[in-house]
């Protein structure tokens, strides 16, 4: 049977060409903005991935800022018009490269500069980080999903962390980040695909929503410089004016991971600090509804969960050491249940990763790697809350940049503080009379039983829930 694709008929070809023109003229327009800061290792791959999309953005603006490497010169090679054909549709785009030099507003300033270049001529704003590699269907899927419902103000891609090329520590850290991203994405997908944060790594935003945010919040620009997590704040504001913020069910992107302890600490502390800043009552007068904003429920849940992790782990270690010191410890088999449930939950998440590797499975199955990574996250959590309550005015963007360059020792602080606390508690314990030591254990163990039981039930509920076919 001969299909229409095989008929060499000029009339048919003319009809196809007319349909292509009609379809392309009727479609929405998308402007892509790529803020780039010292991205010489990734910018070429990022631009190549965008230029091979099954649906090209209509224009691409690379906004380079505060950069002292070769990013500008590498990106400049892509400047000018490009076209790409997919399934008989030829898309055309043009790449513009801007080096705005020293920019005190950092990524926020780059995003706002890019917005100023495209806000009046395009329907949608596609933000892509300078280290984010898009799946070839990503823009196509994002466009389909944001066009499917006029109530949607933004759609975020599903992110995963790219596998590192070498280094035991970097492989361990990126595998932990892959598991962390996977759990976060699955939580959002199973909450009606409602996304708390339209991440800057790869998200498509309605230009009308961005303009309405500016009007509603009396802002000169969509992104504001006084937030540690500009994406979270903008997502709250988009939600406030009546738009939905969603995570895509299909669009995917691979982001660069933090491959050193310093870099991971810098990133995670900044994220945690920014989230706390948004959650805490009265911190942002232009974000009504805090701290009970719908987009912040998952943030509160994450923080409460982390607090439970700290209490159960530190409680078990301290009570175990105390019991052993006076020969009063008795092993009970049911203490094996919580780690077993944790392994089941971690394995379930690992199996939901679309391009999972053997390392992802082993990370969950052998328990110790996931537990060690959780202790690192506990350190980031404690550091962020300590910074917040100290009212210390620090530039966490600059701190993260320094950490990625290998400077600073702040990531060691939680371990040092923990050692001091443990030393103090040990001294106090050894100086307590025997009767008081027994009383402490008699009260402490039951409290730990109940706390651990509650935490285990929540983990079991998450481990047994249906994933509805979603892959992260």
């Amino acid at each position: 049977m001969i299909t229409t694709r095989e008929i060499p008929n000029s009339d048919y070809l003319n009809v196809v060409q007319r349909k292509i023109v009609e379809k392309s003229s009727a479609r929405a327009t998308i402007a892509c903005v790529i803020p780039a800061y010292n991205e010489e290792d990734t910018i070429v791959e990022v631009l190549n991935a965008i230029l091979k999309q099954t649906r090209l953005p209509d224009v691409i603006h690379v906004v380079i800022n505060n950069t002292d490497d070769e990013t500008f010169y590498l990106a400049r090679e892509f400047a000018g018009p490009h076209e790409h054909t997919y399934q008989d549709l030829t898309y055309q785009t043009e790449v513009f490269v801007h080096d705005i030099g020293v920019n005190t507003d950092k990524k926020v300033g780059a995003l706002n500069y890019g917005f100023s270049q495209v806000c009046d001529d395009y329907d949608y704003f596609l933000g892509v980080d300078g280290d984010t590699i898009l799946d070839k269907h990503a823009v196509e899927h994002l466009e389909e999903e944001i066009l499917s419902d006029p109530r949607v103000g933004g759609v975020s891609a599903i992110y995963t962390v790219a596998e590192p090329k070498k280094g035991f520590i970097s492989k361990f850290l990126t595998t932990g980040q892959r598991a962390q991203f996977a759990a976060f994405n699955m939580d959002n997908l199973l909450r009606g695909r409602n996304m708390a944060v339209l991440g800057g790594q790869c998200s498509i935003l309605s230009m009308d929503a961005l303009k309405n945010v500016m009007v509603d919040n009396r802002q000169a620009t969509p992104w504001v410089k006084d937030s540690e997590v500009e994406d979270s704040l903008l997502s709250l504001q988009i939600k406030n004016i009546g738009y939905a913020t969603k995570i895509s069910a299909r669009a995917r992107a691979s982001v660069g991971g933090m491959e050193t302890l310093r870099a991971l600490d810098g990133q995670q502390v900044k994220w945690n600090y920014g989230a706390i800043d948004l959650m805490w009552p009265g911190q942002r007068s232009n974000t009504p509804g805090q701290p009970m904003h719908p987009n912040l429920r998952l943030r509160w849940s994450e923080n409460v969960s982390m607090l439970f992790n700290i209490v159960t782990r530190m409680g078990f270690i301290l009570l175990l050491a105390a019991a052993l010191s006076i020969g009063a410890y008795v092993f009970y088999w049911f203490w094996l249940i919580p780690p077993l449930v944790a392994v089941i939950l971690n394995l379930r998440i690992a199996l939901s990763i679309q391009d999972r590797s053997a390392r992802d499975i082993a990370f969950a199955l052998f328990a110790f790697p996931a537990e060690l990574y959780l202790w690192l996250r506990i350190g980031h959590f404690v550091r962020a809350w300590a910074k917040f309550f100290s009212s210390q005015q620090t530039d966490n963007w600059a701190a993260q940049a320094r950490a990625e360059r290998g400077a600073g020792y702040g990531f060691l602080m939680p371990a040092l503080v923990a050692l001091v606390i443990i030393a103090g508690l040990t001294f106090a314990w050894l100086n307590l009379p025997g009767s008081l030591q027994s009383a402490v254990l008699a009260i402490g163990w039951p409290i730990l039983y109940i706390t651990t039981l509650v935490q285990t039930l929540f983990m079991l509920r998450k481990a047994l829930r249906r994933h509805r076919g979603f892959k992260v």
Side-chain angles (χ1 to χ4, degrees):
M1 179 177 178
I2 299 177
T3 65
T4 54
R5 292 188 185 200
E6 297 170 319
I7 301 174
N9 184 294
S10 60
D11 291 337
Y12 167 73
L13 293 176
N14 289 335
V15 169
V16 170
Q17 289 172 351
R18 284 199 300 274
K19 287 183 178 180
I20 290 172
V21 171
E22 290 169 3
K23 187 172 180 180
S24 63
S25 62
R27 65 183 172 85
T29 53
I30 299 173
C32 176
V33 172
I34 307 172
Y37 163 71
N38 283 348
E39 306 289 3
E40 65 179 5
D41 294 334
T42 55
I43 194 64
V44 171
E45 193 176 0
V46 169
L47 287 167
N48 277 327
I50 293 175
L51 292 171
K52 292 177 183 176
Q53 289 292 299
T54 56
R55 193 280 195 224
L56 278 184
D58 298 280
V59 69
I60 301 167
H61 287 268
V62 183
V63 184
I64 299 166
N65 66 104
N66 301 304
T67 293
D68 54 14
D69 66 2
E70 300 297 311
T71 304
F72 171 76
Y73 302 101
L74 293 170
R76 188 176 62 179
E77 296 299 314
F78 291 85
H82 297 263
E83 68 177 28
H84 179 64
T85 301
Y86 177 73
Q87 293 184 348
D88 295 332
L89 281 177
T90 297
Y91 295 100
Q92 295 181 337
T93 190
E94 187 165 4
V95 177
F96 297 89
V97 179
H98 315 263
D99 187 350
I100 61 175
V102 176
N103 165 33
T104 56
D105 294 340
K106 302 180 177 65
K107 183 181 177 181
V108 166
L111 286 168
N112 286 326
Y113 180 89
F115 175 79
S116 70
Q117 303 298 305
V118 301
C119 60
D120 295 326
D121 302 316
Y122 299 90
D123 301 311
Y124 294 97
F125 181 102
L126 175 67
V128 178
D129 274 355
D131 63 350
T132 301
I133 314 301
L134 273 58
D135 174 78
K136 70 175 184 177
H137 296 285
V139 177
E140 175 190 355
H141 292 330
L142 288 171
E143 180 186 33
E144 288 173 357
E145 292 180 54
I146 200 166
L147 288 175
S148 67
D149 190 339
R151 296 172 297 178
V152 176
V155 181
S156 178
I158 297 173
Y159 310 129
T160 191
V161 177
E163 292 275 5
K165 295 186 171 104
K166 58 183 179 179
F168 176 79
I169 296 296
S170 63
K171 288 179 180 178
F172 162 69
L173 293 178
T174 52
T175 305
Q177 291 166 77
R178 283 166 65 85
Q180 182 182 353
F181 275 47
F184 177 77
N185 287 329
M186 185 59 74
D187 281 342
N188 283 290
L189 286 166
L190 296 180
R191 285 179 166 85
R193 289 182 44 224
N194 291 306
M195 189 65 166
V197 182
L198 297 170
Q201 295 95 329
C202 177
S203 292
I204 190 168
L205 307 167
S206 162
M207 205 70 79
D208 286 340
L210 294 177
K211 292 175 181 177
N212 287 333
V213 162
M214 293 165 60
V215 173
D216 193 69
N217 293 278
R218 297 173 177 82
Q219 296 173 187
T221 56
W223 292 268
V224 293
K225 62 183 180 182
D226 59 341
S227 173
E228 298 285 351
V229 279
E230 75 293 337
D231 302 327
S232 293
L233 179 56
L234 179 62
S235 301
L236 298 187
Q237 292 173 331
I238 290 174
K239 189 85 170 180
N240 283 341
I241 58 177
Y243 288 95
T245 53
K246 297 286 186 178
I247 182 173
S248 172
R250 298 184 294 166
R252 300 183 177 278
S254 176
V255 305
M258 299 293 109
E259 298 187 14
T260 67
L261 290 170
R262 281 188 180 91
L264 181 65
D265 176 82
Q267 179 199 66
Q268 298 276 325
V269 170
K270 180 176 76 69
W271 283 357
N272 279 292
Y273 183 93
I276 295 165
D277 198 33
L278 289 175
M279 289 161 50
W280 204 255
Q283 291 298 300
R284 302 254 172 231
S285 60
N286 62 341
T287 310
Q290 288 184 310
M292 303 309 294
H293 192 286
N295 272 31
L296 295 176
R297 289 171 188 162
L298 183 57
R299 292 290 194 185
W300 279 108
S301 174
E302 290 170 345
N303 277 264
V304 171
S305 175
M306 193 61 74
L307 188 59
F308 267 85
N309 283 322
I310 294 172
V311 169
T312 54
R313 281 161 173 78
M314 290 299 295
F316 181 79
I317 291 171
L318 293 172
L319 287 170
L320 176 62
L324 289 172
S325 72
I326 60 174
Y329 178 69
V330 179
F331 173 77
Y332 293 103
W333 65 268
F334 53 74
W335 280 113
L336 298 176
I337 295 176
L340 178 61
V341 173
V343 168
I344 293 171
L345 174 58
N346 291 334
L347 186 59
R348 186 87 193 281
I349 292 296
L351 291 172
S352 73
I353 299 174
Q354 177 161 293
D355 297 319
R356 62 182 176 271
S357 66
R359 193 180 298 113
D360 294 318
I361 302 299
F363 184 87
L365 196 58
F366 293 121
F368 178 74
E371 181 67 17
L372 181 57
Y373 186 78
L374 179 58
W375 276 99
L376 292 177
R377 290 187 61 197
I378 287 173
H380 307 147
F381 172 84
V382 171
R383 276 237 299 149
W385 276 101
K387 267 192 171 187
F388 179 77
F389 282 125
S390 71
S391 300
Q392 181 182 354
Q393 296 299 315
T394 58
D395 186 343
N396 288 316
W397 283 98
Q400 180 181 344
R402 286 195 302 273
E404 291 183 32
R405 291 196 300 267
Y409 293 92
F411 70 101
L412 296 174
M413 190 57 64
L416 296 175
V417 171
L419 287 174
V420 171
I421 292 173
I422 290 172
L425 290 174
T426 301
F427 177 80
W429 173 259
L430 294 175
N431 285 279
L432 286 177
S435 59
L436 198 51
Q437 288 178 333
S438 299
V440 169
L441 293 176
I443 296 171
W445 282 113
I447 293 174
L448 184 61
Y449 296 155
I450 296 169
T451 307
T452 305
L453 176 62
V454 172
Q455 185 181 26
T456 303
L457 289 174
F458 274 101
M459 286 194 299
L460 187 62
R461 176 178 171 272
K462 292 183 76 171
L464 297 178
R465 65 185 174 178
R466 291 175 55 243
H467 283 180
R468 303 175 193 168
F470 288 124
K471 288 290 184 180
V472 291

